[in-house]
Amino acid sequence: MKSYKNNFALIVDSKERKENAIAKKGRKILSAFLLCSFCFGLSTATTFAASEYPENQDTITMNEAGAIETYIGNFATEQTFTPEQDTTTVNQEDSNNGLKAAEPTISDIKKTKMNLFETVSDYVAYPGTVSVSKGVSTTISASVTGGGGVDIKFLKLNLSKTVGDSVTFTTTQTTSYPVSKGMRGRIILRYSQDYYTYKITKSGKDYTGSATTQAYDQYYALQEVSLG
């Protein structure tokens, strides 16, 4: 009888240990499943986020070392002007044989957003006041480089309609700002431009080129640096 009880206890104990092992294994599988589901969800979210921005452009911000900027506002009129190259055509006829020149192609396009600034006033130290007068004009030039006889019209069609367009910003009011204690300040015009690099292929030859767009997202700011 005693032997039977001992055997029964061993059987029960063995069964419980087996059930615990199965349960523990089940918990491990469930945890692994949940972890993989989380990873998949994260990966999917990342993929969707990336697909929203197919160009994946970089942004480079230029600033004065150690400067603090305070937004003032956008109070300027804009006047754009287009270079003479915009009036030319890509496929002009060859005067020798009357045939049209080879159609160029553009590839390896890379786009970088440049966040830049131009100074509008000189530095003034505390306790002075920095100001910009009505009618002050700032011109931001755009540019195009490259070979293969490619004109701006072609680049506008393939890159951006504002490639090569320069713009002049003219203040519409007089604005003054006190300089903070221990600082010297000046007024700047902050703006952005898109910078492109690309490869032009024409008649079997490759040419490298670059272009900048018309300035945009402009505003005036107080830029201050320490006197120390």
Side-chain angles (χ1 to χ4, degrees):
M1 186 67 143
K2 185 175 180 182
S3 175
Y4 171 79
K5 287 182 180 179
N6 289 339
N7 290 338
F8 178 78
L10 288 172
I11 291 171
V12 171
D13 180 64
S14 175
K15 184 178 181 181
E16 287 179 349
R17 280 185 292 171
K18 187 176 182 181
E19 289 176 347
N20 289 337
I22 293 172
K24 187 175 181 181
K25 185 176 182 181
R27 286 195 296 270
K28 284 184 177 180
I29 293 172
L30 178 61
S31 298
F33 174 78
L34 291 174
L35 180 60
C36 289
S37 298
F38 173 76
C39 293
F40 175 77
L42 182 62
S43 176
T44 303
T46 303
T47 302
F48 284 142
S51 67
E52 292 175 1
Y53 307 98
E55 288 185 319
N56 291 326
Q57 67 176 20
D58 297 322
T59 301
I60 298 177
T61 299
M62 305 297 291
N63 207 343
E64 187 78 3
I68 299 172
E69 289 185 12
T70 303
Y71 174 86
I72 297 177
N74 179 21
F75 46 94
T77 58
E78 301 177 37
Q79 182 179 2
T80 60
F81 52 97
T82 307
E84 292 180 1
Q85 297 98 306
D86 200 38
T87 61
T88 65
T89 57
V90 178
N91 265 352
Q92 293 180 338
E93 290 186 352
D94 190 324
S95 58
N96 294 325
N97 53 28
L99 298 177
K100 289 188 175 181
E103 184 74 30
T105 59
I106 187 168
S107 60
D108 294 344
I109 301 170
K110 293 180 176 61
K111 177 182 175 183
T112 302
K113 181 178 179 180
M114 306 293 293
N115 188 233
L116 309 167
F117 71 91
E118 287 287 336
T119 58
V120 180
S121 72
D122 294 329
Y123 270 120
V124 175
Y126 175 84
T129 298
V130 64
S131 64
V132 58
S133 300
K134 177 181 178 179
V136 172
S137 294
T138 306
T139 298
I140 309 299
S141 298
S143 63
V144 173
T145 64
V150 175
D151 65 6
I152 290 180
K153 279 187 177 179
F154 176 80
L155 296 176
K156 283 178 182 290
L157 182 64
N158 289 274
L159 297 176
S160 168
K161 64 181 180 180
T162 59
V163 160
D165 291 351
S166 300
V167 60
T168 297
F169 298 105
T170 304
T171 56
T172 58
Q173 65 188 57
T174 297
T175 302
S176 298
Y177 243 79
V179 179
S180 302
K181 187 175 182 179
M183 309 288 280
R184 59 189 177 111
R186 63 184 178 184
I187 293 178
I188 64 167
L189 175 67
R190 175 69 67 177
Y191 64 93
S192 294
Q193 279 182 300
D194 293 331
Y195 175 73
Y196 290 91
T197 59
Y198 45 84
K199 180 175 73 175
I200 297 292
T201 302
K202 186 176 180 181
S203 301
K205 293 183 179 181
D206 292 335
Y207 307 88
T208 58
S210 63
T212 52
T213 64
Q214 175 183 316
Y216 62 93
D217 288 348
Q218 73 281 351
Y219 63 87
Y220 294 95
L222 172 66
Q223 187 181 75
E224 296 180 299
V225 294
S226 175
L227 286 171

